[in-house]
Protein backbone atom coordinates (compact mmCIF):
# COMPACT_ATOMS: atom_id res chain seq x y z
CA UNK A 1 0.00 0.00 0.00
CA UNK A 2 1.32 3.44 -0.78
CA UNK A 3 2.19 5.34 2.34
CA UNK A 4 -0.12 8.21 3.17
CA UNK A 5 0.61 10.95 5.62
CA UNK A 6 -1.57 11.29 8.68
CA UNK A 7 -2.88 14.62 7.41
CA UNK A 8 -3.89 13.01 4.10
CA UNK A 9 -5.67 10.16 5.89
CA UNK A 10 -7.61 12.55 8.11
CA UNK A 11 -8.50 14.77 5.15
CA UNK A 12 -9.83 11.78 3.22
CA UNK A 13 -11.69 10.49 6.29
CA UNK A 14 -13.35 13.88 6.82
CA UNK A 15 -14.48 13.82 3.20
CA UNK A 16 -16.47 10.68 3.87
CA UNK A 17 -14.16 7.72 4.14
CA UNK A 18 -10.90 6.26 2.99
CA UNK A 19 -10.38 5.57 -0.72
CA UNK A 20 -7.42 4.05 -2.51
CA UNK A 21 -6.47 4.00 -6.19
CA UNK A 22 -6.44 0.86 -8.33
CA UNK A 23 -2.64 0.64 -8.34
CA UNK A 24 -2.59 0.02 -4.58
CA UNK A 25 -1.81 -3.66 -4.90
CA UNK A 26 -0.81 -4.46 -1.33
CA UNK A 27 -3.78 -4.78 0.97
CA UNK A 28 -3.80 -5.73 4.59
CA UNK A 29 -6.10 -8.61 5.46
CA UNK A 30 -9.31 -7.33 6.96
CA UNK A 31 -10.17 -8.61 10.38
CA UNK A 32 -13.53 -10.29 10.68
CA UNK A 33 -15.96 -7.88 12.41
CA UNK A 34 -16.97 -8.81 15.93
CA UNK A 35 -20.58 -9.36 16.92
CA UNK A 36 -20.56 -5.99 18.68
CA UNK A 37 -19.27 -4.23 15.54
CA UNK A 38 -21.91 -5.92 13.39
CA UNK A 39 -24.62 -4.93 15.87
CA UNK A 40 -23.36 -1.31 15.94
CA UNK A 41 -23.37 -1.18 12.13
CA UNK A 42 -26.92 -2.57 12.02
CA UNK A 43 -28.10 0.06 14.52
CA UNK A 44 -26.47 2.85 12.47
CA UNK A 45 -28.32 1.66 9.38
CA UNK A 46 -31.59 1.62 11.34
CA UNK A 47 -30.89 5.23 12.33
CA UNK A 48 -30.84 6.21 8.66
CA UNK A 49 -34.47 5.03 8.39
CA UNK A 50 -35.62 6.34 11.76
CA UNK A 51 -38.72 8.50 11.75
CA UNK A 52 -38.47 11.76 13.65
CA UNK A 53 -39.48 11.26 17.26
CA UNK A 54 -39.75 13.81 20.07
CA UNK A 55 -38.80 13.13 23.69
CA UNK A 56 -39.74 15.03 26.85
CA UNK A 57 -36.64 14.05 28.79
CA UNK A 58 -33.06 14.94 27.98
CA UNK A 59 -31.76 11.49 28.96
CA UNK A 60 -34.09 9.61 26.61
CA UNK A 61 -33.35 11.95 23.71
CA UNK A 62 -29.58 11.80 24.10
CA UNK A 63 -29.58 8.03 24.67
CA UNK A 64 -31.38 7.63 21.32
CA UNK A 65 -29.08 10.16 19.65
CA UNK A 66 -25.98 8.27 20.81
CA UNK A 67 -27.48 4.94 19.79
CA UNK A 68 -28.17 6.12 16.21
CA UNK A 69 -25.45 8.81 15.99
CA UNK A 70 -27.93 11.57 15.17
CA UNK A 71 -28.03 15.21 16.28
CA UNK A 72 -30.62 16.40 18.79
CA UNK A 73 -32.89 19.36 18.07
CA UNK A 74 -33.37 20.84 21.55
CA UNK A 75 -36.44 23.07 21.88
CA UNK A 76 -37.70 25.23 24.72
CA UNK A 77 -41.32 25.37 23.62
CA UNK A 78 -44.84 25.07 24.98
CA UNK A 79 -47.55 25.11 22.30
CA UNK A 80 -50.28 25.08 24.98
CA UNK A 81 -49.35 28.57 26.19
CA UNK A 82 -47.27 30.14 23.40
CA UNK A 83 -48.61 31.33 20.04
CA UNK A 84 -45.21 31.28 18.33
CA UNK A 85 -44.70 27.72 19.62
CA UNK A 86 -48.02 26.70 18.04
CA UNK A 87 -46.88 28.33 14.78
CA UNK A 88 -43.58 26.39 14.95
CA UNK A 89 -45.51 23.16 15.44
CA UNK A 90 -48.03 23.72 12.65
CA UNK A 91 -45.70 25.34 10.09
CA UNK A 92 -42.49 23.38 10.65
CA UNK A 93 -42.59 20.39 13.01
CA UNK A 94 -45.86 19.01 11.62
CA UNK A 95 -45.17 20.04 8.01
CA UNK A 96 -45.38 17.36 5.31
CA UNK A 97 -41.81 18.12 4.29
CA UNK A 98 -40.33 17.45 7.73
CA UNK A 99 -42.56 14.43 8.40
CA UNK A 100 -41.21 12.78 5.21
CA UNK A 101 -37.62 13.01 6.49
CA UNK A 102 -35.98 9.97 8.08
CA UNK A 103 -32.71 9.67 9.98
CA UNK A 104 -32.46 13.43 10.35
CA UNK A 105 -32.52 14.16 14.09
CA UNK A 106 -33.85 13.22 17.51
CA UNK A 107 -36.16 15.80 19.07
CA UNK A 108 -36.07 16.96 22.69
CA UNK A 109 -38.71 19.45 23.81
CA UNK A 110 -38.93 21.04 27.23
CA UNK A 111 -41.48 23.49 28.58
CA UNK A 112 -38.79 24.80 30.94
CA UNK A 113 -35.75 26.84 29.91
CA UNK A 114 -32.65 24.80 29.01
CA UNK A 115 -29.66 27.09 29.70
CA UNK A 116 -27.20 24.24 29.08
CA UNK A 117 -27.98 24.50 25.34
CA UNK A 118 -28.69 28.25 25.36
CA UNK A 119 -32.43 27.60 25.03
CA UNK A 120 -33.61 30.03 27.68
CA UNK A 121 -34.17 33.36 25.94
CA UNK A 122 -37.92 33.08 25.49
CA UNK A 123 -40.12 30.62 23.66
CA UNK A 124 -39.61 29.03 21.23
CA UNK A 125 -35.82 28.83 21.41
CA UNK A 126 -33.86 25.96 19.92
CA UNK A 127 -30.43 24.57 19.17
CA UNK A 128 -29.07 21.54 17.36
CA UNK A 129 -26.41 19.64 19.31
CA UNK A 130 -24.34 16.51 18.75
CA UNK A 131 -25.11 13.30 20.67
CA UNK A 132 -22.28 14.32 23.03
CA UNK A 133 -23.88 17.73 23.66
CA UNK A 134 -21.64 19.85 21.42
CA UNK A 135 -23.48 22.90 20.03
CA UNK A 136 -23.81 22.70 16.21
CA UNK A 137 -26.19 25.56 15.40
CA UNK A 138 -29.09 27.64 16.72
CA UNK A 139 -32.45 26.65 15.30
CA UNK A 140 -35.36 28.62 16.77
CA UNK A 141 -38.62 29.59 15.11
CA UNK A 142 -38.39 32.18 12.39
CA UNK A 143 -41.71 32.83 10.58
CA UNK A 144 -39.78 33.77 7.43
CA UNK A 145 -38.03 30.38 7.17
CA UNK A 146 -39.62 27.61 5.12
CA UNK A 147 -39.59 23.94 6.20
CA UNK A 148 -36.96 23.24 3.52
CA UNK A 149 -34.58 25.69 5.23
CA UNK A 150 -35.02 23.93 8.58
CA UNK A 151 -34.45 20.59 6.86
CA UNK A 152 -31.24 21.90 5.28
CA UNK A 153 -29.88 23.10 8.65
CA UNK A 154 -30.79 19.75 10.21
CA UNK A 155 -29.16 17.84 7.33
CA UNK A 156 -26.00 19.93 7.69
CA UNK A 157 -25.94 19.14 11.42
CA UNK A 158 -26.47 15.42 10.80
CA UNK A 159 -23.66 15.44 8.22
CA UNK A 160 -21.34 17.16 10.73
CA UNK A 161 -22.10 14.46 13.33
CA UNK A 162 -21.43 11.68 10.77
CA UNK A 163 -18.20 13.34 9.57
CA UNK A 164 -16.92 13.72 13.15
CA UNK A 165 -17.69 10.04 13.78
CA UNK A 166 -15.70 9.07 10.64
CA UNK A 167 -12.71 11.09 11.82
CA UNK A 168 -12.89 9.56 15.31
CA UNK A 169 -13.11 6.05 13.82
CA UNK A 170 -10.12 6.71 11.54
CA UNK A 171 -8.06 8.01 14.47
CA UNK A 172 -8.97 4.90 16.46
CA UNK A 173 -7.95 2.63 13.58
CA UNK A 174 -4.62 4.48 13.33
CA UNK A 175 -4.07 4.17 17.07
CA UNK A 176 -4.26 7.88 17.76
Amino acid sequence: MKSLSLAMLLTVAMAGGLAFSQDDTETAPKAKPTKEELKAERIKKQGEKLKIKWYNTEKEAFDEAKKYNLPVWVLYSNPATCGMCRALDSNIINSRQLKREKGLFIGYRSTSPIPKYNCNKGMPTGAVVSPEGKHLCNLSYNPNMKPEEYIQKLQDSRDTVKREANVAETKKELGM
Side-chain angles (χ1 to χ4, degrees):
M1 181 184 299
K2 293 180 182 174
S3 65
L4 297 173
S5 72
L6 179 60
M8 289 173 61
L9 282 172
L10 290 175
T11 301
V12 172
M14 289 176 70
L18 297 175
F20 298 95
S21 65
Q22 288 182 331
D23 56 306
D24 288 333
T25 53
E26 291 180 38
T27 56
K30 272 199 163 181
K32 188 175 178 182
T34 65
K35 285 183 181 181
E36 292 81 23
E37 290 170 334
L38 290 172
K39 183 178 179 184
E41 189 61 34
R42 201 169 44 250
I43 288 172
K44 280 184 190 176
K45 288 189 188 290
Q46 289 171 349
E48 294 169 8
K49 299 174 186 173
L50 193 68
K51 288 185 178 181
I52 295 168
K53 187 171 179 185
W54 288 88
Y55 294 88
N56 293 321
T57 70
E58 183 177 2
K59 182 178 178 356
E60 285 179 313
F62 280 88
D63 285 350
E64 284 294 292
K66 287 174 186 166
K67 179 178 177 182
Y68 295 111
N69 196 33
L70 292 171
V72 180
W73 186 6
V74 179
L75 277 178
Y76 166 39
S77 169
N78 186 352
T81 62
C82 164
M84 292 293 276
C85 301
R86 282 191 293 279
L88 172 65
D89 273 17
S90 63
N91 297 334
I92 306 301
I93 293 173
N94 294 319
S95 69
R96 283 194 313 262
Q97 297 93 322
L98 196 59
K99 285 190 176 268
R100 280 195 300 252
E101 293 293 321
K102 291 186 176 37
L104 191 56
F105 70 92
I106 302 294
Y108 165 48
R109 183 190 307 238
S110 174
T111 56
S112 301
I114 317 164
K116 180 178 185 178
Y117 305 111
N118 208 23
C119 297
N120 58 346
K121 308 222 182 326
M123 285 193 268
T125 308
V128 182
V129 297
S130 72
E132 295 77 31
K134 177 184 168 195
H135 183 273
L136 300 172
C137 72
N138 292 326
L139 193 56
S140 299
Y141 183 59
N142 177 342
N144 298 318
M145 279 178 68
K146 295 178 173 62
E148 294 82 10
E149 294 171 278
Y150 281 87
I151 291 169
Q152 185 61 55
K153 279 193 158 212
L154 291 161
Q155 286 171 339
D156 291 346
S157 296
R158 178 201 53 209
D159 295 346
T160 297
V161 167
K162 301 289 183 192
R163 197 170 32 257
E164 288 176 357
N166 284 342
V167 169
E169 190 173 310
T170 301
K171 284 182 176 180
K172 183 179 176 184
E173 288 173 4
L174 295 172
M176 298 174 63

